[in-house]
Structure formats: C-alpha cells, structure tokens
Amino acid sequence: MKRKLEEENMEIVWQTPANPPHRLDYIFRNGRRHVRPYYFEFIAHVKNRWAGKTIVDLFTDEFKGRSHDYYVSAVKCGRIRVDGEMVPVSYIVKTSEKISHFLHRHEPPVLTSDVLILQKEPDVVTVCKPASIPVHPCGQYRKNTVVGILEAEHGLAPLFRLLILARSASKADFFRQQIEGGMIKKQYIARVAGEFPEQEQVVDANINHNAREQRSTAEVGACGDTTPIKGKTACTKFTRLSTNGVHSLVLCEPVTGRTHQIRVHLQHAGYPIANDLLYLSKHVNDRSASILASDFCENLSTEHVDSNEDFSIDPMCTNCPDLVPKGYNVHEEALWLHCVRYSAPGWTYECPYPDWASLS
C-alpha cells in the first residue's frame, strides 16, 4: 500500500500482515540473520478502557516504547491515524474506532542457522528449528520466524502452528488430538554443567511459573509440611549420554509439559544447562562456571551492526540509524537445549544433533 505523508513529503510503501516475507528481506552479518527494516501498519481497535483519552495520551499510556513527543509528531504528520484519517493531537478516541500506526519496523536478529527441512509431505513439513528463532510471528518478530523464513526461502505457506508444521487444517487437528491424548513423546538433549550421574534420574517436582518475571521454580514439599505445594505437577526423566568431567550431555524426556520444565528440573537436580544464564545456580562448581564464563567471552565478538548501508534511514524512526532495535542484546547465545525426536503411534521424526553436543 502506498501512502504519501503530507508533512514529510515522502511516498512510502507500507506493509501489512498480508504482505509475505521475501528472500531479499534478510541481511546476514557476523553470525546473525537480520531483517531489513521496513514500513509496517500496526492496527488496533479502541477498547472500552481507552475511550475518552486523547489519541496522544492513549499511545503514551499504552505503548510505552516511544516518547510523548514522538507520538505528538506521529499524529501531526499522519503516521498515526483514526479510521484512515488524520486527526489533531487533541482528538478524543471512541470505542471500536480503528487506529493505525505506520512505523519503520526493526526486528531483533536471530542466529543465521538455516531452517533445515527434514521431511516434506503433502500435508506436513518437519523442520529442525534452530535455537533463538520464534516459531510464528509474535511481539517484535514477524519475518525472523520459522514460519516467515520457510515462506521466504521455500515458498511454504500457509503453515499451521506446530513444531511439526501441518500444511492443512485437518492434519493440524490430527496432531492436536494426539497431543491432547498424551500420545506424543518428545526427547531433548541438553549440555549441562558438571558430571551427571550414570543412573537414570527422575525429577518429580511441581513447576511454579511467574509470568511477570518470565521465570519458573521447582516446588517440593518439606517432610511433615502439610502446606499445599505451589505450581503444577511435573516430571522429567534424565539419562546421561556422555561427559568430559566438566559438562555432560543428557537425554531429557519430559513426562509433562510445563513452562521451562526441563531447564528448571535440571537446575533442581544440581546440573543446570551450562549456558542458561536464567537458571544457572550457585551449586555449579567453580571449574564449570569459569569455563562457561570464558566460552561466553569468546563469543562476544566486536561486531558492529549499526551500518546503514543495506537499508534506508527513516527520519522519524527511534531505532535508526541502528539496524538492531534498541534494548536488544545482539550477543545472546543459543541455549544448549535441543529437541531431537518427536514420536507417536504411526510416525517418528528425528532431528540431527547441534554442534554443541560434541564434548570433545
């Protein structure tokens, strides 16, 4: 969609969710896949609790990522509109009105790993999901997702959201029924700190998830304590595959599926994932911790991602001239946890081991 912004004297092609991603939308730098910044129309409808506010106050109160002054300028130049029309900064919004925010959108980068297609069938495609890449559009991510990359590089669309991606609604329903029936088994591998025990370990501890902090804890009852245990029941089986005395490669088989279950149960057992900064516990021995620190420092290259030679600068954008959106840690490392096998009656899909699974 083309629209000329009156006060900027610019003609810009705005994208909407209907515009598919393309191969040329991506920029590859220093081991990261970036998305070339693009103009995008965000749409919302006025909620009851928003009604009665000025258009500027609404954005300042509800969308805190930008300043009051930015929103004043955006309304004045037509980058924020109501029902497709420019309005004054004093405009009072009404319930159900359509609000459009035309924005120069910068997506966070992800690791450059290809989305490897393991198997393609008429009604399902099985892929090896790289770490750090969201499955489907969410939050700041739209094109830098498994679904977006598969459409851009392989022409696969539509896809129905499962890690095993159904290519039809009926196949998605088939998988959903198996999931709800508890028929699907998952196996993961994790690289953990320390020398994991040889015998199979079963961790049976409730998982209590704090949505505000985006963190979970393992909860178990003390002997003789009748206080109800917080969280949801959770169980994971762990088997050591190999060890070098500092780290161990562990097969993880979740019996239940709770948020961060494997990560929290490994921490609870005293063997957290060796690069999991959220759940690394004080129980990790000094040698493991120092090796983790040195590995992390080696991965912090002196990369520069603020060159704008591959994209155009927008005069109102709060991220330009940087390619990476503000507040994002470009040095984030992929978690050493990887799903290697999905199975259910009648089918099995397997994924190759990642490079970090070698302890040599």
Side-chain angles (χ1 to χ4, degrees), residues 99-112:
I99 298 177
S100 297
H101 185 192
F102 299 96
L103 196 65
H104 194 232
R105 185 168 183 173
H106 292 237
E107 294 193 27
V110 296
L111 297 179
T112 56

PDB file of all heavy atoms in Angstrom, residues 99-112:
ATOM      1  N   ILE A  99      -7.463   2.326  14.811  1.00  0.00           N
ATOM      2  CA  ILE A  99      -6.275   3.170  14.917  1.00  0.00           C
ATOM      3  C   ILE A  99      -5.139   2.505  14.156  1.00  0.00           C
ATOM      4  O   ILE A  99      -4.866   1.312  14.341  1.00  0.00           O
ATOM      5  CB  ILE A  99      -5.868   3.367  16.382  1.00  0.00           C
ATOM      6  CG1 ILE A  99      -6.978   4.068  17.150  1.00  0.00           C
ATOM      7  CG2 ILE A  99      -4.577   4.166  16.484  1.00  0.00           C
ATOM      8  CD1 ILE A  99      -6.679   4.231  18.618  1.00  0.00           C
ATOM      9  N   SER A 100      -4.494   3.253  13.276  1.00  0.00           N
ATOM     10  CA  SER A 100      -3.343   2.756  12.524  1.00  0.00           C
ATOM     11  C   SER A 100      -2.096   3.509  12.951  1.00  0.00           C
ATOM     12  O   SER A 100      -2.124   4.738  13.084  1.00  0.00           O
ATOM     13  CB  SER A 100      -3.558   2.946  11.019  1.00  0.00           C
ATOM     14  OG  SER A 100      -4.668   2.201  10.567  1.00  0.00           O
ATOM     15  N   HIS A 101      -1.029   2.762  13.175  1.00  0.00           N
ATOM     16  CA  HIS A 101       0.271   3.360  13.477  1.00  0.00           C
ATOM     17  C   HIS A 101       1.232   2.886  12.399  1.00  0.00           C
ATOM     18  O   HIS A 101       1.559   1.705  12.309  1.00  0.00           O
ATOM     19  CB  HIS A 101       0.756   2.924  14.858  1.00  0.00           C
ATOM     20  CG  HIS A 101       2.029   3.593  15.285  1.00  0.00           C
ATOM     21  ND1 HIS A 101       2.757   3.178  16.374  1.00  0.00           N
ATOM     22  CD2 HIS A 101       2.705   4.655  14.764  1.00  0.00           C
ATOM     23  CE1 HIS A 101       3.826   3.959  16.508  1.00  0.00           C
ATOM     24  NE2 HIS A 101       3.807   4.856  15.536  1.00  0.00           N
ATOM     25  N   PHE A 102       1.666   3.803  11.544  1.00  0.00           N
ATOM     26  CA  PHE A 102       2.593   3.490  10.458  1.00  0.00           C
ATOM     27  C   PHE A 102       4.006   3.676  10.985  1.00  0.00           C
ATOM     28  O   PHE A 102       4.403   4.766  11.369  1.00  0.00           O
ATOM     29  CB  PHE A 102       2.317   4.400   9.258  1.00  0.00           C
ATOM     30  CG  PHE A 102       0.933   4.231   8.705  1.00  0.00           C
ATOM     31  CD1 PHE A 102      -0.088   5.077   9.100  1.00  0.00           C
ATOM     32  CD2 PHE A 102       0.635   3.221   7.812  1.00  0.00           C
ATOM     33  CE1 PHE A 102      -1.379   4.924   8.603  1.00  0.00           C
ATOM     34  CE2 PHE A 102      -0.649   3.062   7.311  1.00  0.00           C
ATOM     35  CZ  PHE A 102      -1.656   3.916   7.700  1.00  0.00           C
ATOM     36  N   LEU A 103       4.777   2.580  10.991  1.00  0.00           N
ATOM     37  CA  LEU A 103       6.027   2.548  11.732  1.00  0.00           C
ATOM     38  C   LEU A 103       7.153   1.985  10.864  1.00  0.00           C
ATOM     39  O   LEU A 103       6.932   1.099  10.031  1.00  0.00           O
ATOM     40  CB  LEU A 103       5.842   1.656  12.960  1.00  0.00           C
ATOM     41  CG  LEU A 103       6.835   1.734  14.093  1.00  0.00           C
ATOM     42  CD1 LEU A 103       6.784   3.101  14.757  1.00  0.00           C
ATOM     43  CD2 LEU A 103       6.524   0.653  15.125  1.00  0.00           C
ATOM     44  N   HIS A 104       8.361   2.493  11.057  1.00  0.00           N
ATOM     45  CA  HIS A 104       9.556   1.900  10.449  1.00  0.00           C
ATOM     46  C   HIS A 104       9.985   0.774  11.374  1.00  0.00           C
ATOM     47  O   HIS A 104      10.524   1.008  12.457  1.00  0.00           O
ATOM     48  CB  HIS A 104      10.657   2.965  10.316  1.00  0.00           C
ATOM     49  CG  HIS A 104      11.773   2.575   9.418  1.00  0.00           C
ATOM     50  ND1 HIS A 104      13.096   2.634   9.781  1.00  0.00           N
ATOM     51  CD2 HIS A 104      11.764   2.150   8.130  1.00  0.00           C
ATOM     52  CE1 HIS A 104      13.864   2.262   8.767  1.00  0.00           C
ATOM     53  NE2 HIS A 104      13.072   1.959   7.759  1.00  0.00           N
ATOM     54  N   ARG A 105       9.739  -0.452  10.966  1.00  0.00           N
ATOM     55  CA  ARG A 105       9.853  -1.591  11.873  1.00  0.00           C
ATOM     56  C   ARG A 105      11.231  -2.249  11.801  1.00  0.00           C
ATOM     57  O   ARG A 105      11.700  -2.641  10.723  1.00  0.00           O
ATOM     58  CB  ARG A 105       8.772  -2.623  11.532  1.00  0.00           C
ATOM     59  CG  ARG A 105       8.708  -3.802  12.486  1.00  0.00           C
ATOM     60  CD  ARG A 105       7.442  -4.612  12.259  1.00  0.00           C
ATOM     61  NE  ARG A 105       7.332  -5.710  13.205  1.00  0.00           N
ATOM     62  CZ  ARG A 105       6.267  -6.505  13.320  1.00  0.00           C
ATOM     63  NH1 ARG A 105       5.211  -6.296  12.548  1.00  0.00           N
ATOM     64  NH2 ARG A 105       6.235  -7.479  14.190  1.00  0.00           N
ATOM     65  N   HIS A 106      11.873  -2.384  12.957  1.00  0.00           N
ATOM     66  CA  HIS A 106      13.156  -3.083  13.092  1.00  0.00           C
ATOM     67  C   HIS A 106      12.900  -4.353  13.899  1.00  0.00           C
ATOM     68  O   HIS A 106      12.454  -4.273  15.043  1.00  0.00           O
ATOM     69  CB  HIS A 106      14.174  -2.223  13.843  1.00  0.00           C
ATOM     70  CG  HIS A 106      14.635  -1.012  13.111  1.00  0.00           C
ATOM     71  ND1 HIS A 106      15.960  -0.759  12.837  1.00  0.00           N
ATOM     72  CD2 HIS A 106      13.940   0.034  12.582  1.00  0.00           C
ATOM     73  CE1 HIS A 106      16.072   0.391  12.195  1.00  0.00           C
ATOM     74  NE2 HIS A 106      14.860   0.894  12.029  1.00  0.00           N
ATOM     75  N   GLU A 107      13.205  -5.516  13.326  1.00  0.00           N
ATOM     76  CA  GLU A 107      13.038  -6.771  14.068  1.00  0.00           C
ATOM     77  C   GLU A 107      14.352  -7.172  14.723  1.00  0.00           C
ATOM     78  O   GLU A 107      15.436  -6.907  14.182  1.00  0.00           O
ATOM     79  CB  GLU A 107      12.573  -7.895  13.125  1.00  0.00           C
ATOM     80  CG  GLU A 107      11.186  -7.685  12.550  1.00  0.00           C
ATOM     81  CD  GLU A 107      10.635  -8.943  11.885  1.00  0.00           C
ATOM     82  OE1 GLU A 107      11.034 -10.061  12.288  1.00  0.00           O
ATOM     83  OE2 GLU A 107       9.800  -8.799  10.980  1.00  0.00           O
ATOM     84  N   PRO A 108      14.304  -7.824  15.887  1.00  0.00           N
ATOM     85  CA  PRO A 108      15.541  -8.318  16.508  1.00  0.00           C
ATOM     86  C   PRO A 108      16.189  -9.384  15.625  1.00  0.00           C
ATOM     87  O   PRO A 108      15.496 -10.129  14.922  1.00  0.00           O
ATOM     88  CB  PRO A 108      15.066  -8.922  17.830  1.00  0.00           C
ATOM     89  CG  PRO A 108      13.720  -8.312  18.080  1.00  0.00           C
ATOM     90  CD  PRO A 108      13.132  -8.088  16.727  1.00  0.00           C
ATOM     91  N   PRO A 109      17.511  -9.493  15.653  1.00  0.00           N
ATOM     92  CA  PRO A 109      18.180 -10.540  14.873  1.00  0.00           C
ATOM     93  C   PRO A 109      18.043 -11.903  15.537  1.00  0.00           C
ATOM     94  O   PRO A 109      17.752 -12.004  16.732  1.00  0.00           O
ATOM     95  CB  PRO A 109      19.645 -10.082  14.863  1.00  0.00           C
ATOM     96  CG  PRO A 109      19.787  -9.315  16.139  1.00  0.00           C
ATOM     97  CD  PRO A 109      18.468  -8.642  16.373  1.00  0.00           C
ATOM     98  N   VAL A 110      18.273 -12.953  14.745  1.00  0.00           N
ATOM     99  CA  VAL A 110      18.344 -14.321  15.257  1.00  0.00           C
ATOM    100  C   VAL A 110      19.625 -14.933  14.713  1.00  0.00           C
ATOM    101  O   VAL A 110      20.300 -14.339  13.866  1.00  0.00           O
ATOM    102  CB  VAL A 110      17.110 -15.153  14.822  1.00  0.00           C
ATOM    103  CG1 VAL A 110      15.840 -14.589  15.416  1.00  0.00           C
ATOM    104  CG2 VAL A 110      17.002 -15.231  13.299  1.00  0.00           C
ATOM    105  N   LEU A 111      19.973 -16.114  15.177  1.00  0.00           N
ATOM    106  CA  LEU A 111      21.166 -16.784  14.663  1.00  0.00           C
ATOM    107  C   LEU A 111      20.967 -17.149  13.196  1.00  0.00           C
ATOM    108  O   LEU A 111      19.832 -17.380  12.748  1.00  0.00           O
ATOM    109  CB  LEU A 111      21.463 -18.032  15.491  1.00  0.00           C
ATOM    110  CG  LEU A 111      21.804 -17.777  16.967  1.00  0.00           C
ATOM    111  CD1 LEU A 111      22.051 -19.089  17.688  1.00  0.00           C
ATOM    112  CD2 LEU A 111      23.011 -16.873  17.100  1.00  0.00           C
ATOM    113  N   THR A 112      22.056 -17.225  12.440  1.00  0.00           N
ATOM    114  CA  THR A 112      21.938 -17.430  10.992  1.00  0.00           C
ATOM    115  C   THR A 112      21.637 -18.870  10.587  1.00  0.00           C
ATOM    116  O   THR A 112      21.515 -19.149   9.410  1.00  0.00           O
ATOM    117  CB  THR A 112      23.231 -17.002  10.269  1.00  0.00           C
ATOM    118  OG1 THR A 112      24.332 -17.719  10.839  1.00  0.00           O
ATOM    119  CG2 THR A 112      23.455 -15.528  10.376  1.00  0.00           C
TER     120      THR A 112
END
